Amino acid sequence: MEGASRGGGGYVPQDQRANCAVESDRGQLQVVRPDQDHEAVGEADGGGVRPVVTKTKPQAEREFTVYFFDTDAGGVVHNLAYLRWIEAVRTDLAENLGWGLGEMLDGEHGCPVLTKTEAEYLRPARLGDRVKVVSRLGEVGKVRFTVESEVLGTKGEVFCRSKQELASVDLITGKPRPLREDWRKLDS
């Protein structure tokens, strides 16, 4: 498969990959080598490269296998596959908290509409990998809430982290609706 793609790129074996630059949350550029755990970078000053997803809120998780349709020609998972998995688990989380698909479409609390997605792609998942997506409820306001997610490998490696903001919207009028009272209590 090497050199098989047009326009540059193509599959490069793990041991032949060059250093990869990763921007830290502190605004500095740090280098993470393929053989280096990204979480170890910056730990000396207590920061790490990425913040840890909140561990104390309600959560849902699900496992997926990386199939051909999840990858590019080089067998690397493309960004939309991560977002599709995250959406599935985010929907599971809402259902676990009593806000199922039926109520989202017909209920008095409206439907959660995605308004913002932040995603960090930390290392590539590949064809045939098993991944686990863990999504947790973040901040909850009157109309808006956030969901934090991680896509993890079988050894705990973090492939992707995301934070999404959603707003409860009446699908008929397009206007914001107050979140369910039980959800607002989860943030207190």
Side-chain angles (χ1 to χ4, degrees):
M1 296 216 55
E2 286 184 37
S5 72
R6 295 185 184 113
Y11 176 76
V12 179
Q14 179 83 20
D15 61 341
Q16 295 178 14
R17 293 189 193 132
N19 290 345
C20 146
V22 176
E23 186 177 331
S24 85
D25 296 313
R26 293 179 300 279
Q28 303 165 348
L29 192 63
Q30 299 182 15
V31 175
V32 179
R33 295 181 304 279
D35 61 340
Q36 180 183 21
D37 181 11
H38 74 280
E39 297 294 341
V41 176
E43 283 184 356
D45 61 356
V49 174
R50 301 288 186 262
V52 176
V53 172
T54 306
K55 304 238 187 252
T56 58
K57 298 281 188 147
Q59 74 176 40
E61 59 185 61
R62 188 194 298 190
E63 291 189 359
F64 298 89
T65 299
V66 177
Y67 292 113
F68 282 107
F69 57 80
D70 296 318
T71 66
D72 61 18
V76 174
V77 173
H78 55 77
N79 61 333
L80 290 178
Y82 292 105
L83 296 177
R84 183 172 35 81
W85 297 331
I86 288 167
E87 180 173 354
V89 178
R90 188 185 72 228
T91 303
D92 292 348
L93 175 62
E95 182 129 358
N96 292 347
L97 294 173
W99 199 1
L101 290 172
E103 185 184 343
M104 288 179 192
L105 294 174
D106 301 325
E108 66 181 271
H109 301 289
C111 184
V113 174
L114 188 63
T115 60
K116 182 178 181 179
T117 296
E118 297 173 5
E120 297 177 293
Y121 303 98
L122 302 170
R123 61 176 46 145
R126 300 188 179 280
L127 180 64
D129 284 350
R130 290 284 297 168
V131 298
K132 176 171 71 173
V133 178
V134 178
S135 293
R136 293 178 184 87
L137 188 63
E139 299 169 7
V140 179
K142 184 176 179 182
V143 172
R144 296 181 184 274
F145 64 97
T146 61
V147 175
E148 301 169 324
S149 300
E150 291 179 312
V151 181
L152 307 167
T154 57
K155 297 175 186 164
E157 64 271 37
V158 180
F159 294 119
C160 175
R161 281 199 179 112
S162 81
K163 183 175 183 179
Q164 297 181 314
E165 180 183 86
L166 297 97
S168 180
V169 174
D170 183 306
L171 293 179
I172 295 172
T173 66
K175 294 183 179 182
R177 296 289 309 254
L179 278 174
R180 299 166 49 107
E181 186 65 31
D182 56 338
W183 276 49
R184 288 188 289 202
K185 289 180 182 177
L186 290 171
D187 200 42
S188 33

